[in-house]
Amino acid sequence: MSVKIGNIDLGKFPLLLAPMEDVSDPPFRYVCKQNGVDMMYTEFISSEGLIRDAAKSRQKLDIFEYERPIGIQIFGSNIESMREATRIATLANPDLIDINYGCPVKNVACRGAGASLLQDIDKMTAMTKAVVESTHLPVTVKTRLGWDDNTKNVDQVAERLQDVGIQALTIHGRTRSQMYKGQADWSMIRDIKRNPRIGIPIFGNGDVDSIEKAANWRLEYEVDGIMIGRAAIGYPWIFREIKHFFETGETLAGPTIAERVDVCLTHLNKSIEWKGEKTGIFEMRRHYSNYFKGIPNFKEFRMKLVSSENVADIRSVLDEITETFEAEMA
């Protein structure tokens, strides 16, 4: 049976790309889409930023036809602001609206947004209801297990948010106080999936960084799909590899050096296309070490990549990487 969010058919067991600040922009989403991700989200967008018409927030609304299905993710601490931001985001014509109740970072959570709402389920429910009522699109939510080990309340959250109309829930298997440390615990995610009151798709998130984990956790935790975040940075092939294993039971060989270079260059070109040459080159620098992770004696090339200031120089270094490593990595 296919997993559906409203009228969006995501296939049997969808793989989702997590919304990640300063990562999940259109250039990065492009290379993930090329590698088989089933649904993606924008970087999270501040409701206050949208209402004030802040340039950075507005730019994050950019979505492209080839990215569909795609959700716009918003966050905020004020219900009226979230209502208005939902209307603005709806006009950008995504396939769904997602609410962030999971971001643990201080300047979000300590301002009453993101994971902070896990401390006030009544307000979270009222905010979610306001968002659902402000758009004709399906509304989904991403959250965590709770604020800390003493307040793991995502089971209540799931029931109450389903009751006010959300159409899917993604749960990161950590509390806010854990940030990204320790191991993700998916056992509560399974409990929610088994709750007879829950009828919406439940997606698991946190620590899926291999084919083995995806395959084992799919069975063990009974989720409807998996959301992958950090493991896809510099390695969009993870979607292709997991899907291939699910379909055939076989493990695909990892990307060759030539493939790594090719996808890295595509990402760079898209980055320049979307942000302009100067910003595109600068912002791409955070991705190089991930694209070539695990390659021995790579530091010299990484230094060249992050210090190059024009496309021709970067292409030249990428060509050099292919020539240097292709034979020895084959």
Side-chain angles (χ1 to χ4, degrees):
M1 256 176 57
S2 276
V3 175
K4 288 192 171 178
I5 298 175
N7 294 323
I8 307 164
D9 188 333
L10 295 175
K12 273 189 186 166
F13 188 82
L15 301 179
L16 284 55
L17 174 66
M20 294 176 281
E21 176 68 351
D22 292 330
V23 176
S24 303
D25 58 11
F28 178 70
R29 298 198 302 259
Y30 181 86
V31 296
C32 289
K33 189 70 177 180
Q34 297 291 96
N35 280 281
V37 69
D38 293 298
M39 189 162 81
M40 306 187 289
Y41 300 82
T42 61
E43 299 170 78
F44 72 169
I45 306 175
S46 158
S47 55
E48 301 295 340
L50 279 184
I51 293 165
R52 290 197 316 271
D53 207 18
K56 192 175 181 194
S57 297
R58 284 283 176 168
Q59 191 188 30
K60 288 181 182 177
L61 290 174
D62 284 0
I63 53 177
F64 299 89
E65 282 305 307
Y66 62 75
E67 298 185 291
R68 297 190 185 280
I70 185 162
I72 288 176
Q73 192 189 65
I74 57 174
F75 74 97
S77 59
N78 178 282
I79 292 174
E80 284 313 306
S81 298
M82 285 290 279
R83 196 192 296 275
E84 184 56 29
T86 302
R87 294 193 189 107
I88 296 167
T90 300
L91 294 173
N93 197 26
D95 297 287
L96 59 86
I97 302 290
D98 188 75
I99 310 172
N100 181 307
Y101 292 137
C103 181
V105 300
K106 210 176 256 186
N107 68 353
V108 173
C110 293
R111 289 181 184 166
S116 174
L117 275 302
L118 285 160
Q119 298 175 102
D120 189 346
I121 299 180
D122 288 346
K123 183 178 178 183
M124 182 196 274
T125 305
M127 183 179 282
T128 305
K129 187 171 188 284
V131 169
V132 169
E133 288 170 353
S134 302
T135 183
H136 66 281
L137 297 168
V139 173
T140 62
V141 161
K142 182 166 192 264
T143 190
R144 287 184 169 232
L145 302 179
W147 181 255
D148 57 28
D149 281 346
N150 302 317
T151 55
K152 289 183 178 175
N153 51 9
V154 72
D155 48 349
Q156 294 173 54
V157 166
E159 289 192 7
R160 290 188 62 180
L161 298 194
Q162 177 181 265
D163 289 349
V164 294
I166 70 164
Q167 297 195 37
L169 177 66
T170 300
I171 304 164
H172 182 108
R174 287 182 173 86
T175 61
R176 187 269 167 177
S177 62
Q178 278 182 275
M179 302 295 283
Y180 295 98
K181 298 185 181 83
Q183 282 189 310
D185 174 10
W186 285 41
S187 55
M188 273 187 87
I189 304 175
R190 179 179 53 210
D191 293 345
I192 289 163
K193 186 58 203 163
R194 287 178 174 175
N195 179 349
R197 269 209 65 205
I198 297 294
I200 58 174
I202 301 294
F203 303 121
N205 172 232
D207 291 356
V208 177
D209 54 11
S210 66
I211 296 167
E212 293 73 27
K213 274 190 192 167
N216 292 339
W217 292 9
R218 174 185 187 177
L219 296 173
E220 187 176 350
Y221 297 111
E222 302 165 21
V223 289
D224 294 295
I226 288 172
M227 180 180 279
I228 295 172
R230 289 172 293 166
I233 300 173
Y235 204 85
W237 302 278
I238 192 165
F239 299 106
R240 176 179 82 176
E241 290 173 6
I242 291 170
K243 288 188 126 176
H244 184 81
F245 183 81
F246 285 165
E247 285 161 15
T248 67
E250 294 166 3
T251 303
L252 266 183
T256 62
I257 289 292
E259 271 186 290
R260 292 187 195 214
V261 166
D262 185 49
V263 173
C264 180
L265 187 56
T266 300
H267 191 164
L268 172 68
N269 289 337
K270 287 284 175 188
S271 190
I272 290 167
E273 207 175 283
W274 187 57
K275 301 170 189 174
E277 186 162 340
K278 192 176 177 186
T279 307
I281 287 172
F282 177 75
E283 294 195 357
M284 190 64 195
R285 288 174 181 171
R286 66 171 73 104
H287 292 283
Y288 294 129
S289 57
N290 289 302
Y291 272 114
F292 300 103
K293 197 185 260 176
I295 296 176
N297 308 314
F298 190 75
K299 189 177 178 185
E300 176 199 338
F301 293 97
R302 188 179 69 79
M303 296 311 291
K304 284 184 188 175
L305 287 169
V306 299
S307 58
S308 296
E309 294 187 1
N310 65 67
V311 183
D313 287 349
I314 296 168
R315 284 187 176 147
S316 169
V317 178
L318 289 171
D319 287 343
E320 205 183 332
I321 290 167
T322 307
E323 287 163 24
T324 306
F325 295 104
E326 194 157 37
E328 61 189 73
M329 299 289 286

